[in-house]
Amino acid sequence: MTEVPVLVVGGASVGLSMAAELGSRGVRTILVEQREQVNQHPRANAVGNRTMEYFRRWGVDKKLVNKGVPADYPADYYWVSSMHGKCLHQLSLLSYAELEKARNSAQADPLKEMFWSPYLKTIVGQQHVEQSLKDYVLGLESVDARFGWRLVDFEQDENGVYATIERCEDGHRKQLRCEYMVGCDGGQSAVRTQLDINMSGRSGIARFISIYFRSPEFMQCHSFGHGNIYFPLRKEYRGFLLNWDGGTHWTYHLVLPEGTDWKEVDAQEAVWRLLGKKPEVEVIDVQPWTAHALVADQYKQGRVFLAGDAAHKFTPTGGLGMNTGVGDAVELGWRLEAVINKWAPAEILDSYHQERHPVGVRNTVEAADNFDQLFSVMQNGEELDRDDAEGQALRDRLSASLQQQEKILASSGVLLGYRYNDSPICVPDGSAEPADDPRRYFPTARPGHRAPHIWLTPSCSILDKLSAGFTLLDFTGGSSFQHHAAWADYAAGLGMPLEVVSIDHAEAKALYEADLVLVRPDMMVAWRGEVNQAPQPILDTVTGRRMAKAQDRARSVA
């Protein structure tokens, strides 16, 4: 029997991120994935700015910037009656190249979106994301990545998880014993099913057929400009059309009418009808899928965890599904490493559900709201293209509604503004909580929030100064140097990784609003305060020791 600290089940974007986070921390991990090669059907099309901040730590970010839509292409989005009809609304965001140019020519202002993160959304197919993650994981010595293998069965007790895995090619089986197992095996998760964990929320919001196709002449067949996404609004065409490059490869997510079997849809004909013309169309792949807004009632049962689509199912509106899942992986990864390396008690693992479950609910509700609003303007037929006063009035009315729906694309508030209120491993400071606005992010170093980005130099973000463990940011300009030893000594006694980093930057200090700020391994603020505060109760809290004592007391009372 092979023994390993962690078994990761599923090797798509979240499973690979889970292995990347564990492997980058030196945690021995086995990953099993049924597919031998990356799924070439592009599903998610937008890597959020927070996800790119995680990828930046692994060096994966640079591989993605020019993998999809070229960095200098306009980041435009169109709501149209059809691809041979009329434009009702257009949104123009900064392309990556425009973002870099604007930053270099403007004074840094943390209240402006271009300075909220080193990134905006990066438009690239999920297959490229997964290939880049796979390449990174395969280079990690501590990760045994087994593609073409699947989980057959598992059972757990208080000491570990016992799993049977099978090589798909020939049925060869191996027995594993692991300390922990993570189910990253998608919406139909076998791990979640075996654990008998229910999901709550809305199911079956809409059914789609996803048509991945190549059409070299596509951009010459319509009168609109280059777009990252087009939203056809007429009910016979309604859905989303995603651009994967300069305009040759596309995915058309067509909403299926009630009672329609996806196998009855002629994919090529569907694209031609949308265009109103018949250029060359090579259908590469067709897949059905259903949109949900569901969240697992528990992210953890015993020594087994859920992450990604195994824990939450999304509508695609807002690009939140994969990005939420990568966040799960990063959050769980550092906790597992802390327990396995014995610098935190096992009780800290309970905080994974406590922090991430509310985020899963928040994000699935937001994505479903985006879909509901969009679908509400997809109820008209040919009257949407009429050239008379009645047709114009209809378009004007829908256009006014669409201006209020731009959060479906401009969603930095969702991606960056999540927070862990009432977290047992953060130390609140009594400061006011900023608004949770889907469109707008309010930079803050309030405990439980993301450590805010600021450029220290034109090429160095303050996020680049954060270590893989805990980081104590010192904004005093060196006047608190004598206090560093107390923090370092107590951390060393706990065995926890802590690095003290001095930041001599007036704007950064103003943004973080404290002399000292303690940032967790996931780049979330754990505590902030003054130099004279004792480190012991703070470090006991953020490493889960106070959690463990509270649970011990509760058990003794029971």
Side-chain angles (χ1 to χ4, degrees):
M1 179 178 290
T2 301
E3 296 193 2
V4 67
V6 183
L7 171 63
V8 176
V9 181
S13 54
V14 176
L16 288 166
S17 295
M18 188 78 251
E21 182 68 13
L22 292 167
S24 68
R25 297 178 178 280
V27 177
R28 289 194 305 111
T29 303
I30 290 178
L31 176 145
V32 293
E33 163 56 41
Q34 294 187 60
R35 291 177 178 268
E36 293 192 9
Q37 304 298 328
V38 164
N39 184 353
Q40 290 303 309
H41 192 115
R43 289 143 288 152
N45 82 311
V47 182
N49 37 20
R50 182 53 162 170
T51 302
M52 288 292 281
E53 290 173 0
Y54 297 138
F55 289 173
R56 184 183 183 95
R57 303 176 88 176
W58 305 329
V60 172
D61 61 323
K62 297 180 178 64
K63 298 180 180 181
L64 299 178
V65 170
N66 284 301
K67 272 290 186 182
V69 174
D72 57 350
Y73 269 49
D76 291 343
Y77 301 83
Y78 293 86
W79 289 257
V80 298
S81 58
S82 70
M83 296 306 292
H84 60 280
K86 300 181 183 296
C87 178
L88 280 75
H89 186 58
Q90 178 182 348
L91 172 65
S92 295
L93 301 177
L94 290 176
S95 69
Y96 185 82
E98 290 171 332
L99 177 67
E100 291 298 298
K101 182 178 179 181
R103 281 177 178 151
N104 291 333
S105 62
Q107 183 175 355
D109 182 351
L111 298 181
K112 291 183 179 179
E113 184 167 9
M114 74 175 75
F115 295 107
W116 291 346
S117 170
Y119 312 91
L120 292 176
K121 283 185 178 178
T122 301
I123 304 302
V124 60
Q126 190 170 341
Q127 78 276 33
H128 296 306
V129 175
E130 292 178 2
Q131 188 61 59
S132 296
L133 287 170
K134 182 177 180 180
D135 291 343
Y136 175 72
V137 166
L138 290 174
L140 295 171
E141 291 185 5
S142 57
V143 178
D144 178 1
R146 302 190 180 196
F147 296 92
W149 287 72
R150 70 182 186 93
L151 175 71
V152 176
D153 195 13
F154 69 91
E155 59 183 32
Q156 62 172 318
D157 59 26
E158 62 182 13
N159 297 313
V161 182
Y162 303 85
T164 302
I165 61 174
E166 179 181 84
R167 189 162 53 207
C168 301
E169 181 181 45
D170 58 11
H172 174 68
R173 293 188 173 188
K174 285 188 68 70
Q175 306 298 315
L176 304 178
R177 181 192 178 280
C178 49
E179 295 180 47
Y180 299 98
M181 186 173 82
V182 187
C184 306
D185 51 339
Q188 303 302 315
S189 171
V191 174
R192 186 186 67 240
T193 299
Q194 185 166 334
L195 293 173
D196 197 25
I197 293 177
N198 293 323
M199 304 192 85
S200 299
R202 297 168 57 191
S203 62
I205 294 174
R207 296 183 309 117
F208 293 80
I209 180 173
S210 175
I211 305 168
Y212 178 36
F213 67 94
R214 176 181 177 274
S215 182
E217 302 170 3
F218 192 92
M219 291 299 294
Q220 287 73 53
C221 293
H222 63 82
S223 59
F224 311 115
H226 176 277
N228 286 341
I229 304 178
Y230 302 86
F231 298 95
L233 301 179
R234 274 178 54 164
K235 57 187 177 182
E236 61 266 47
Y237 312 119
R238 58 191 173 196
F240 332 116
L241 182 66
L242 310 181
N243 182 4
W244 298 115
D245 47 30
T248 298
H249 289 84
W250 303 83
T251 299
Y252 180 24
H253 294 283
L254 172 64
V255 178
L256 290 171
E258 191 70 31
T260 300
D261 188 330
W262 71 274
K263 295 178 182 178
E264 298 172 2
V265 177
D266 184 320
Q268 185 181 61
E269 185 64 32
V271 174
W272 283 342
R273 288 196 309 114
L274 174 67
L275 267 176
K277 297 179 181 178
K278 292 188 175 183
E280 174 191 349
V281 170
E282 175 195 354
V283 176
I284 300 171
D285 191 27
V286 177
Q287 294 182 5
W289 61 277
T290 302
H292 307 281
L294 293 169
V295 182
D297 293 340
Q298 291 292 328
Y299 281 22
K300 172 183 181 288
Q301 188 178 108
R303 289 174 170 267
V304 181
F305 301 82
L306 302 177
D309 286 355
H312 36 67
K313 302 182 185 182
F314 280 79
T315 66
T317 36
L320 303 178
M322 180 188 72
N323 292 296
T324 304
V326 174
D328 296 340
V330 171
E331 295 287 0
L332 180 56
W334 77 265
R335 288 168 167 86
L336 287 172
E337 184 263 330
V339 174
I340 290 166
N341 287 337
K342 303 186 185 309
W343 56 265
E347 286 83 358
I348 198 174
L349 297 173
D350 293 335
S351 68
Y352 168 64
H353 171 84
Q354 292 170 280
E355 290 188 349
R356 293 305 293 176
H357 183 267
V359 173
V361 172
R362 165 189 182 263
N363 290 3
T364 55
V365 169
E366 172 61 26
D369 180 66
N370 286 336
F371 180 82
D372 291 341
Q373 291 192 42
L374 179 62
F375 197 67
S376 73
V377 297
M378 291 178 162
Q379 304 304 312
N380 300 282
E382 61 183 14
E383 64 272 20
L384 197 55
D385 282 314
R386 285 171 54 176
D387 288 322
D388 57 16
E390 188 175 339
Q392 187 60 53
L394 173 60
R395 290 190 293 275
D396 289 344
R397 188 164 62 251
L398 296 183
S399 178
S401 176
L402 290 169
Q403 291 178 38
Q404 306 304 312
Q405 297 186 30
E406 292 181 352
K407 68 188 181 78
I408 193 174
L409 299 166
S411 54
S412 285
V414 180
L415 297 166
L416 301 177
Y418 64 98
R419 68 286 312 266
Y420 299 145
N421 289 329
D422 304 317
S423 169
I425 57 171
C426 290
V427 182
D429 66 351
S431 58
E433 179 182 357
D436 189 3
D437 185 320
R439 175 67 183 84
R440 181 168 179 77
Y441 165 65
F442 298 92
T444 177
R446 180 175 180 263
H449 291 246
R450 160 187 173 267
H453 153 78
I454 188 171
W455 291 112
L456 302 179
T457 71
S459 61
C460 179
S461 166
I462 196 170
L463 303 181
D464 298 330
K465 296 292 187 179
L466 303 178
S467 69
F470 278 84
T471 306
L472 184 67
L473 296 176
D474 180 353
F475 293 98
T476 65
S479 63
S480 67
F481 180 77
Q482 66 273 20
H483 296 277
H484 293 178
W487 286 86
D489 289 347
Y490 193 73
L494 299 178
M496 68 176 289
L498 174 69
E499 183 175 330
V500 181
V501 177
S502 295
I503 304 292
D504 186 10
H505 193 282
E507 290 81 6
K509 182 175 182 178
L511 176 62
Y512 276 71
E513 298 182 296
D515 288 338
L516 299 178
V517 179
L518 184 64
V519 182
R520 304 189 326 192
D522 52 8
M523 300 189 289
M524 301 294 287
V525 175
W527 167 86
R528 65 177 174 178
E530 305 306 317
V531 296
N532 59 355
Q533 292 185 249
Q536 291 90 334
I538 297 165
L539 295 183
D540 282 349
T541 297
V542 302
T543 57
R545 283 170 171 77
R546 287 201 165 188
M547 252 184 97
K549 291 178 181 178
Q551 291 186 20
D552 285 343
R553 287 194 297 269
R555 283 191 290 266
S556 65
V557 171

